[in-house]
Amino acid sequence: MALNFPSSASGLSKRLNNLPQKPSIGLALGSGASRGWSHVGIIKALSEAGIEPDVVCGTSVGAMVGAAYATGRLDELKDWVLKSTRSDVLRFFDIKLSQTGLVNVERWTRFLHTYVAAEDVRIEDLAKKYVAVATDFDTGREVWFREGLLAEAVRASMAMPGLYPAVRDQQRWLVDGGLVNPVPVNACRALGAEVVIAVNLNSDIMRRADRKPAATEQPDSGMLASLKQQARDYSSNLFPHGDDKAVPPGLLDAVSGSINIFQDRITRSRLAGDPADIVISPRLGDMGILEFQRAGDAIKEGEDRVNSALPEIHRAIELITRA
């Protein structure tokens, strides 16, 4: 006999509440730089549908958004990114030839403590099971943070080579987890998740030929104009050059583009070997690495993708319950 599955969030929530025993749900939040703001919309839409993950595992930006969710700071993080401009992003940078990354560690750590997790919050004390995935720089092995300081785990998971400095932990250097496990489905399974909802931010990142130029900010006027112009000039080698194909990629585009190529391949391979029950794939391939000003679009895309997938999500949950 065919089962009828509600397509609306309210209908799904009522149906889930009537299940005899809800299965443990895991949320695997993938890597993807600024595309990761879609995670915020995805979590919001799942919550509105009555789906509250018991297990949250994240890689890179997924680790950060997942941590903010686990600590109850997701709304604060969302408010910050929706109000941020390119100038706000530039404040994280402090480029010196002697440095090992482009991001100022002190400023970045302060940001994490303010909007993601206070400096004394430990993973083992969270109400939800949580893992942040990083990469051992010397061995290439993936490293799971299941205990310890949450903000430090996020910082290690987001240490994109060339951008964020590597993080020292237990006599090893750690870098971005997206190098080995962009969508940590296996971590969710290991923590007991019976139904895993995975978010793949890399599904269309190689389709950038039709990329649209980023929305520009309104011109500044007054005393700050000259200072901001200096910042723009300073960043000209960091940010994309728009549609001019004759101009070589900026530094960040070159780094992120290279990482996108192998993350696309790794993601396909890992999802084939560690399949999720549901894969949500926001279409944000035209979004640059630091286009925070497009966070609203990314959040909306995440919400829309979840709402479209609600019947499939409910089917996966109910089939596990009936098994």
Side-chain angles (χ1 to χ4, degrees), residues 201-284:
L201 301 177
N202 302 317
S203 63
D204 67 337
I205 54 176
M206 300 314 300
R207 301 176 185 175
R208 299 173 64 90
D210 297 326
R211 178 187 172 111
K212 299 176 182 178
T216 56
E217 301 174 33
Q218 293 298 317
D220 298 304
S221 59
M223 297 181 63
L224 291 179
S226 61
L227 292 176
K228 289 192 175 183
Q229 182 58 47
Q230 292 179 46
R232 293 188 186 97
D233 294 341
Y234 178 66
S235 66
S236 61
N237 288 325
L238 296 179
F239 291 92
H241 289 286
D243 288 338
D244 190 349
K245 301 301 181 182
V247 177
L251 179 57
L252 289 187
D253 254 7
V255 171
S256 64
S258 300
I259 290 175
N260 282 345
I261 291 172
F262 63 74
Q263 277 204 357
D264 174 52
R265 273 54 175 184
I266 294 171
T267 299
R268 296 184 192 198
S269 176
R270 292 302 298 255
L271 286 178
D274 298 312
D277 297 281
I278 305 294
V279 178
I280 297 172
S281 301
R283 310 298 286 180
L284 296 165

Side-chain angles (χ1 to χ4, degrees), residues 59-107:
T59 298
S60 197
V61 67
M64 180 181 70
V65 175
Y69 173 53
T71 58
R73 293 192 175 188
L74 193 59
D75 286 339
E76 297 172 43
L77 183 62
K78 176 184 175 183
D79 290 343
W80 180 87
V81 72
L82 288 177
K83 295 175 183 176
S84 67
T85 64
R86 195 173 83 163
S87 297
D88 294 322
V89 177
L90 278 172
R91 293 190 183 99
F92 286 114
F93 291 86
D94 184 17
I95 305 172
K96 297 177 182 177
L97 292 178
S98 60
Q99 282 195 292
T100 55
L102 304 183
V103 170
N104 181 288
V105 175
E106 291 184 7
R107 293 173 191 164

Side-chain angles (χ1 to χ4, degrees), residues 17 30 100 127 163 171 179 187 191 203-204 219 231 239 275 281 284 289 291 302 308:
N17 289 332
T100 55
L163 184 60
Q171 307 305 310
L179 301 179
L191 266 61
S203 63
D204 67 337
F239 291 92
S281 301
L284 296 165
I289 184 174
E291 289 188 294
S308 297

Side-chain angles (χ1 to χ4, degrees), residues 30 40-41 109 166 205 239 257 314:
V40 176
T109 302
I205 54 176
F239 291 92
H314 181 272

